[in-house]
Amino acid sequence: MTQGNRFVDRRNYMKLAGAASIAGLAGCLEGDDENGEEADGENTIVAGTAPGFPPFEMVEDGELVGFDIDLLEAVVDETEYELAEWEQLEFDSLIPALDNGNIDVIAAAMTISEERQEQIAFSDPYYSSDQSILVQTGGDFQPESLDDFEGQTVGAQSGTTGETVVRDDLIEAGIIDEGDYTSFDNYVLAVEDLESGLIDAVVLDEPVAETFEAERDVEVAFVYETGEEYGFGIRQEDEDLQAALSDGVAAVEESSEYEEITSTWFGE
Amino acid sequence: MDLPALLTTSLWAIAGETSPLVVETVWSLLGEDWQFVFRNADYLLGGVVITIVLTVVSILLGFALGFPAGAIETYGDGYLRSAVRNVGILLRGTPILVIMIYMYFVMPIEYLLGPINAAFGGLDVLLGPTPFAAPDGIGTAFFAATLALGLRSAAYQSQIFRGALSSIDDGQMEAARSIGMSRFEAIRHVVVPQALRRSVPGFQNEFTIVLKDTSIAFAIGLGELLKRSDDLFVQQTTAVLEVFLFASLLYFILTFGTNRTLDYVEQYFAIPGESS
């Protein structure tokens, strides 16, 4: 083929390709929900969460949904801040991302603990919970207290209070061996292993355990009282944001919104 | 996701026109897990769009830095050359996952991102009357992933171009100098055009590697194809095989398409009379 016979000559081809790629790039990014609104204002904040923790946060048909998502949006509406976008990370990565300024607030059913308070600050608590012990429905292992766990295998999500219970009250207490504990990136995977019999029990937050009980072939054996409370995580120096979120939590709890959101996600 | 949503709706429209009965039969034959995958196909295709944009931007950044770096390593001397060489060695010697986590969690990239997003805002104002629009702000994860993939790719691309530049016969340089070109002109007009053509096969390899390595942005929560596949299988854990087969198919289509396109580019720009 000679140069003259080409349908589109080289120069025009380059022009076309350039125009098409710019249009494509612009089009793609424009419709991209990840890039939300421009994060320029002082009062725009980016929230971070870790999906896979129903009903607090999960991805359903491509949408990030859940109690924490609705609640934080309602709380931020009460303040002079504006929520720019949601970043989805592993639970373990949330505190480093907050420290580095990639996100400004954590809304991930995060328990307010002394250990975490050394690194970050929390808003006033917005939910309280205990830990549930989840086992197979009608399975051989039906514990009534942590003392029944000897020789059993247990799973939890890394970085959660469930894992702390396993480490402090089961492994440190000498009830199970280090090797009998499996740490998962995500509770959905832990429950999957429980259903297929690879582990005997999963330790996790009570409302989440109830969601799994309703949707899967597992049941709550007993509730281990920890009296923990969830708060939104903030950098320690962001005192204004901390005060605003705490006021927002109070305002939402006083209005009917808190009950609406609770009944949406817990059916209470 | 405008583009993928459009794609799937038009696919459904075509399928719907053939015959509703056929569609229904195929649908029921698929089984619940495949139905789940196809119901969420537009979500995965949205991930494909992010994967493509991330690949293209990273490759361009890699080229913008890698080509001059290759030229400096070939023709430069002194501190500049050794600096470029050492940075390259450092980047090539670090796993991409480490670079990516470093960019997202350690580098204070928001100081870079602020001005860039402001520039996009300005660009948007300039583009106002045209049908084009600038992206309205870049996410932190996307920016960190672009920097990581782009810098790593620059380090590899510099070696591709260094190889191509040194493969051009010394006689070419001598001939160019003998007709009165300066050293820079000789490189610019005689060596580089030939070297770029010879670098296509190596570049093709690098393009595919960057395309596949976008999946590592999963680690910093960027919603590209792999992250979205993971979201789906966490939602319906029985569909692991189906979700990942579908995602693999999408990756295959992307790499195959890229390779065929670059094969064509190579033939088109081949140096006349030289077998490639």
Side-chain angles (χ1 to χ4, degrees):
Chain A
M1 214 201 278
T2 60
Q3 194 80 17
N5 285 340
R6 290 184 201 275
F7 182 64
V8 182
D9 71 30
R10 192 178 292 180
R11 190 171 296 273
N12 278 330
Y13 173 78
M14 296 307 285
K15 275 190 202 159
L16 276 175
S21 57
I22 290 169
L25 208 67
C28 301
L29 285 176
E30 198 180 20
D32 186 352
D33 54 4
E34 299 258 338
N35 296 316
E37 290 163 47
E38 198 175 338
D40 55 352
E42 279 285 299
N43 285 341
T44 334
I45 50 173
V46 177
T49 193
F53 203 60
F56 287 94
E57 43 266 333
M58 60 271 193
V59 174
E60 261 176 16
D61 293 322
E63 290 284 318
L64 180 66
V65 292
F67 178 81
D68 280 335
I69 314 301
D70 286 355
L71 185 69
L72 183 71
E73 281 171 3
V75 166
V76 172
D77 275 347
E78 298 285 336
T79 68
E80 59 199 24
Y81 290 90
E82 209 179 311
L83 202 57
E85 57 184 311
W86 285 92
E87 297 253 337
Q88 298 176 32
L89 294 157
E90 300 285 330
F91 191 78
D92 280 339
S93 303
L94 288 170
I95 291 181
L98 184 71
D99 276 340
N100 190 35
N102 291 338
I103 56 176
D104 302 304
V105 55
I106 299 173
M110 190 174 269
T111 301
I112 304 172
S113 70
E114 278 177 22
E115 205 183 330
R116 287 189 184 129
Q117 273 173 325
E118 283 168 18
Q119 298 175 62
I120 61 170
F122 284 96
S123 70
D124 285 348
Y126 63 85
Y127 196 90
S128 50
S129 158
D130 291 312
Q131 293 291 311
S132 281
I133 281 65
L134 209 56
V135 295
Q136 271 185 332
T137 308
D140 295 335
F141 183 52
Q142 296 290 348
E144 283 165 6
S145 75
L146 290 186
D147 300 329
D148 296 343
F149 272 74
E150 210 160 322
Q152 304 291 337
T153 50
V154 186
Q157 177 175 317
S158 64
T160 61
T161 357
E163 179 171 73
T164 315
V165 169
V166 175
R167 290 211 180 281
D168 294 354
D169 303 336
L170 286 173
I171 298 173
E172 293 270 308
I175 301 174
I176 64 167
D177 286 334
E178 179 82 45
D180 291 332
Y181 169 61
T182 313
S183 162
F184 294 85
D185 278 343
N186 196 300
Y187 268 122
V188 179
L189 305 177
V191 171
E192 188 73 8
D193 271 13
L194 176 65
E195 277 190 293
S196 54
L198 292 170
I199 50 175
D200 298 317
V202 172
V203 183
L204 77 174
D205 300 59
E206 203 183 349
V208 185
E210 279 165 12
T211 309
F212 281 123
E213 189 176 32
E215 288 175 356
R216 289 160 176 267
D217 214 10
V218 292
E219 62 184 348
V220 175
F222 68 96
V223 172
Y224 181 68
E225 293 202 3
T226 50
E228 60 201 85
E229 293 182 307
Y230 301 158
F232 297 122
I234 309 128
R235 274 183 297 275
Q236 278 168 343
E237 63 270 22
D238 282 353
E239 282 156 7
D240 291 345
L241 180 60
Q242 184 185 14
L245 288 178
S246 293
D247 291 347
V249 169
V252 170
E253 279 178 349
E254 269 172 37
S255 71
S256 59
E257 269 184 290
Y258 188 81
E259 271 171 45
E260 274 171 34
I261 297 173
T262 315
S263 68
T264 308
W265 296 109
F266 302 106
E268 279 167 11
Chain B
M1 280 312 128
D2 294 328
L3 188 63
L6 191 75
L7 271 176
T8 31
T9 38
S10 46
L11 274 180
W12 287 136
I14 295 164
E17 269 168 30
T18 48
S19 156
L21 194 69
V22 173
V23 175
E24 214 162 281
T25 322
V26 172
W27 197 238
S28 65
L29 279 175
L30 281 175
E32 203 195 319
D33 288 339
W34 278 113
Q35 286 179 24
F36 172 75
V37 170
F38 287 112
R39 216 173 39 243
N40 287 293
D42 54 344
Y43 183 60
L44 288 177
L45 288 176
V48 170
V49 171
I50 296 178
T51 297
I52 293 173
V53 176
L54 182 58
T55 310
V56 170
V57 178
S58 305
I59 281 285
L60 290 179
L61 177 65
F63 182 77
L65 297 172
F67 185 73
I72 288 168
E73 278 197 46
T74 318
Y75 298 111
D77 46 22
Y79 291 117
L80 184 61
R81 183 187 181 188
S82 59
V84 167
R85 180 185 278 174
N86 289 332
V87 171
I89 288 172
L90 187 69
L91 281 170
R92 286 192 299 276
T94 314
I96 182 65
L97 182 61
V98 176
I99 303 178
M100 199 162 281
I101 287 177
Y102 182 85
M103 288 294 168
Y104 187 77
F105 289 110
V106 187
M107 282 268 287
I109 54 171
E110 69 270 19
Y111 296 112
L112 266 174
L113 192 57
I116 288 178
N117 274 336
F120 272 122
L123 187 66
D124 201 40
V125 174
L126 279 180
L127 287 172
T130 68
F132 303 112
D136 49 1
I138 302 174
T140 319
F142 183 86
F143 187 61
T146 308
L147 273 186
L149 287 167
L151 288 178
R152 202 274 307 249
S153 183
Y156 279 100
Q157 287 189 38
S158 70
Q159 299 309 295
I160 294 169
F161 296 121
R162 185 170 69 97
L165 287 168
S166 18
S167 80
I168 304 299
D169 193 88
D170 288 344
Q172 296 285 326
M173 176 68 100
E174 281 168 31
R177 295 303 298 275
S178 73
I179 59 165
M181 282 185 175
S182 72
R183 193 169 128 90
F184 181 75
E185 281 172 338
I187 295 170
R188 157 93 177 70
H189 296 290
V190 176
V191 182
V192 166
Q194 298 182 68
L196 275 182
R197 294 167 177 202
R198 279 193 187 166
S199 64
V200 174
F203 185 76
Q204 182 169 16
N205 195 24
E206 176 61 17
F207 203 118
T208 338
I209 288 171
V210 172
L211 178 67
K212 286 181 291 183
D213 280 355
T214 54
S215 58
I216 291 165
F218 179 45
I220 55 172
L222 181 66
E224 43 68 60
L225 181 52
L226 185 68
K227 169 75 171 65
R228 292 191 171 203
S229 308
D230 189 73
D231 283 350
L232 287 185
F233 106 78
V234 165
Q235 199 185 326
Q236 183 158 338
T237 28
T238 50
V240 182
L241 175 74
E242 287 81 0
V243 167
F244 282 100
L245 269 181
F246 190 70
S248 309
L249 177 72
L250 293 176
Y251 274 119
F252 178 76
I253 293 172
L254 289 179
T255 46
F256 189 76
T258 309
N259 277 322
R260 275 302 149 96
T261 312
L262 286 172
D263 279 346
Y264 176 76
V265 169
E266 189 190 348
Q267 276 173 18
Y268 192 108
F269 289 108
I271 299 171
E274 186 182 75
S275 61
S276 56

